[in-house]
């Protein structure tokens, strides 16, 4: 069966005003607010952006959604979960401060911000899924126990799965820290002993004491949680992401995405992908990134697979613009994420999610004017 994906193109020159109008139109077209009941608690899941990142979603977009949800006398809150890596979103105190610094405050949102997996990321529900990689998934309790869910995703590239959109936001974004560990362990980093200086910097900083250094550094994979903190710190760049397991990582994403909405009514979960400020990697990066292409628009669907497939197609079919990320040989229509991450097949997450009947890649794009 085909899934509907509503699409509002935006003019990159006039985008902020347009986005507010188009968001309202998309929500109206979807009829989502009418599916809510009075007093429903509605999680609006987004990514507040790591400190130093500049392309996270504008909090005023979330305010538009909050106002619409409140017309139904439902109770919206903005939410995200703590990160596995150690920076400014690792615990709820730092995470909330980062969110406020990025404008996700009550005065702008007119709704509270709640970090869904609690102070240290262990406020979780074990969800039985009995799938190939995981029998149980660990999902942030406050998202899992909400009545409705609106997933606002900044669609962009991702260094471990090619691109990140609705599926990634559900999977990693709704997992508790333990849930993130389970997924990230599959892509724990690798160390090449040839370039290792045995300087012990990684050994000293590893939060799990998973690295020992004798003549060169060695990772104990029984202890390593895959936080990838050691990658940035190595002076010789000899610790690398393990992209060989990216297919397993994508499969893990599909299983976790499935777990995060398994208890929800179909018509109380909706996905909105923003194809604006499209960068090569995710908003966890604590620095400004070059944009891949000019802004395209906003998509809305009840189907996370269809919306991600439609987003992926729109990005690939869009001209590459002047971005230095694509050379003169680049042909419009080629998989841009494959150009960025040549060892990663970003369609695996779509195929795996489709196998779990989370949605379909067969979509009808309905453009609203
Ligand atoms: S930080 Fe890099 S160079 Fe230093 S011990 Fe670890 S792997 Fe080797
Ligand atoms: S070895 Fe690296 S990825 Fe593994 S836990 Fe230590 S810092 Fe994190």
């Amino acid at each position: 069966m085909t899934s509907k994906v509503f699409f509002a193109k935006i003019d990159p020159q006039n985008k902020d005003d347009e986005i507010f109008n188009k968001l309202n139109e998309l929500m109206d077209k979807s009829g989502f607010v009418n599916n809510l009941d009075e007093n429903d608690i509605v999680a609006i899941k987004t990514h507040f952006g790591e400190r130093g990142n500049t392309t996270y979603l504008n909090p005023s977009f979330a305010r538009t959604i909050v106002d619409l949800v409140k017309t139904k006398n439902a109770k919206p809150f903005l939410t995200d979960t703590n990160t596995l890596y150690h920076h400014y979103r690792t615990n709820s105190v730092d995470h909330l401060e980062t969110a406020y610094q990025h404008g996700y405050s009550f005065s702008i949102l007119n709704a509270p911000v709640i970090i869904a997996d609690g102070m240290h990321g262990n406020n979780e529900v074990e969800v039985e899924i009995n799938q190939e990689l995981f029998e149980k998934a660990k999902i942030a309790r406050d998202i899992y126990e909400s009545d409705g869910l609106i997933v606002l995703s900044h669609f962009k590239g991702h260094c471990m799965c090619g691109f990140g959109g609705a599926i990634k936001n559900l999977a990693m974004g709704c997992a508790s820290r333990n849930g993130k560990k389970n997924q990230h362990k599959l892509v724990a980093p690798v160390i090449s002993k040839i370039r290792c200086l045995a300087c012990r910097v990684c050994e000293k900083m590893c939060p799990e004491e998973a690295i020992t250094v004798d003549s060169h550094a060695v990772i104990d994979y029984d202890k390593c949680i895959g936080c990838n903190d050691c990658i940035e710190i190595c002076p010789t760049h000899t610790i690398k992401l393990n992209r060989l397991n990216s297919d397993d990582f994508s499969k893990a994403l599909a299983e976790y995405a499935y777990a995060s909405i398994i208890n929800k009514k179909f018509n109380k979960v909706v996905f909105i992908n923003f194809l604006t400020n499209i960068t090569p990697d995710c908003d966890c990066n604590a620095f400004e990134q070059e944009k891949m292409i000019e802004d395209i628009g906003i998509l809305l669907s009840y189907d996370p697979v269809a919306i991600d497939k439609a987003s992926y197609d729109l990005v690939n079919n869009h001209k590459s613009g002047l971005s230095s990320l694509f050379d003169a040989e680049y042909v419009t229509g080629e998989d841009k994420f494959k150009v960025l991450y040549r060892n990663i097949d970003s369609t695996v997450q779509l195929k795996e999610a489709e196998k779990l009947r989370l949605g379909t890649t067969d979509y009808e794009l309905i453009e609203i004017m």
Side-chain angles (χ1 to χ4, degrees):
M1 210 173 90
T2 303
S3 284
K4 286 182 181 162
V5 178
F6 298 102
F7 170 47
K9 214 182 257 178
I10 55 160
D11 172 3
Q13 308 310 325
N14 186 22
K15 73 177 180 193
D16 280 354
D17 283 351
E18 271 213 320
I19 288 179
F20 296 118
N21 296 336
K22 297 279 168 81
L23 256 181
N24 274 301
E25 283 175 48
L26 284 168
M27 285 293 281
D28 187 41
K29 194 89 183 159
S30 73
F32 176 78
V33 170
N34 293 328
N35 301 335
L36 297 174
D37 294 309
E38 196 170 327
N39 292 324
D40 270 356
I41 293 183
V42 180
I44 303 176
K45 167 70 181 78
T46 191
H47 186 310
F48 302 129
E50 188 49 77
R51 252 180 247 183
N53 183 274
T54 55
T55 38
Y56 55 88
L57 292 179
N58 182 335
S60 305
F61 304 156
R63 169 62 186 261
T64 304
I65 304 294
V66 165
D67 288 345
L68 289 168
V69 169
K70 285 194 170 183
T71 61
K72 211 48 211 260
N73 290 328
K75 300 175 191 294
F77 67 100
L78 265 290
T79 193
D80 196 0
T81 54
N82 289 314
T83 60
L84 195 53
Y85 65 83
H86 294 79
H87 212 52
Y88 288 105
R89 297 183 307 127
T90 308
N91 60 66
S92 291
V93 176
D94 288 341
H95 202 159
L96 285 170
E97 203 170 315
T98 302
Y100 299 151
Q101 284 183 9
H102 288 179
Y104 284 89
S105 59
F106 193 90
S107 57
I108 289 183
L109 299 167
N110 196 26
V113 179
I114 298 173
I115 304 303
D117 58 342
M119 176 72 79
H120 293 294
N122 50 17
N123 179 32
E124 64 192 14
V125 179
E126 280 206 326
V127 181
E128 201 164 316
I129 51 171
N130 297 315
Q131 294 303 321
E132 277 180 45
L133 292 175
F134 305 112
E135 286 182 7
K136 290 179 180 169
K138 293 170 181 171
I139 304 298
R141 183 175 292 280
D142 293 341
I143 293 176
Y144 193 76
E145 292 184 349
S146 62
D147 302 301
L149 178 61
I150 302 173
V151 182
L152 306 183
S153 305
H154 173 213
F155 191 84
K156 67 263 166 221
H158 192 278
C159 62
M160 291 312 306
C161 52
F163 68 77
I167 295 170
K168 173 86 180 15
N169 203 357
L170 276 181
M172 202 61 76
C174 295
S176 64
R177 280 193 96 231
N178 285 326
K180 290 187 178 78
K181 265 185 216 173
N182 288 345
Q183 296 172 78
H184 267 278
K185 261 179 100 72
L186 298 165
V187 284
V190 286
I191 300 180
S192 154
K193 64 180 178 188
I194 299 166
R195 292 170 62 197
C196 176
L197 303 173
C199 69
R200 296 187 183 269
V201 169
C202 56
E203 185 185 51
K204 285 183 200 137
M205 64 70 57
C206 172
E208 304 298 316
E209 298 183 353
I211 302 180
T212 47
V213 182
D214 192 1
S215 59
H216 61 272
V218 175
I219 295 176
D220 178 344
Y221 288 103
D222 287 335
K223 291 184 179 170
C224 172
I225 57 171
C227 67
N228 290 331
D229 280 359
C230 51
I231 291 176
E232 275 181 38
I233 211 157
C234 173
T236 58
H237 307 292
T238 193
I239 310 178
K240 304 269 188 213
L241 280 172
N242 181 1
R243 293 211 170 98
L244 293 176
N245 287 345
S246 69
D247 284 2
D248 277 351
F249 184 73
S250 295
K251 191 184 182 80
L253 291 181
E255 292 190 9
Y256 259 77
Y258 171 73
S260 63
I261 50 172
I262 200 170
N263 65 334
K264 301 235 184 315
K265 286 187 186 154
F266 169 80
N267 68 355
K268 289 200 180 189
V269 183
V270 74
F271 302 91
I272 303 177
N273 280 6
F274 292 80
L275 276 58
T276 54
N277 296 322
I278 304 165
T279 48
D281 207 350
C282 83
D283 298 342
C284 292
N285 285 295
F287 50 83
E288 186 171 359
Q289 299 177 67
E290 182 180 355
K291 292 172 197 163
M292 288 167 61
I293 47 176
E294 66 182 15
D295 297 332
I296 297 176
I298 318 167
L299 289 84
L300 180 149
S301 180
Y302 287 93
D303 180 333
V305 183
I307 196 171
D308 276 1
K309 176 67 164 72
S311 303
Y312 168 80
D313 289 343
L314 282 165
V315 169
N316 286 335
N317 291 326
H318 201 274
K319 63 184 186 308
S320 61
L322 298 174
S323 170
S324 67
L325 298 164
F326 304 101
D327 60 27
E329 312 285 295
Y330 178 81
V331 180
T332 300
E334 249 186 282
D335 185 337
K336 291 186 175 68
F337 304 102
K338 191 91 183 160
V339 174
L340 295 175
Y341 304 111
R342 68 192 155 85
N343 296 324
I344 295 178
D345 178 356
S346 53
T347 63
V348 174
Q349 57 181 304
L350 298 170
K351 290 174 198 150
E352 294 293 340
E354 200 166 25
K355 272 195 227 161
L356 295 174
R357 297 173 190 256
L358 199 57
T360 173
T361 51
D362 189 7
Y363 65 89
E364 179 193 0
L365 196 68
I366 302 166
E367 186 167 347
I368 61 158
M369 299 299 170

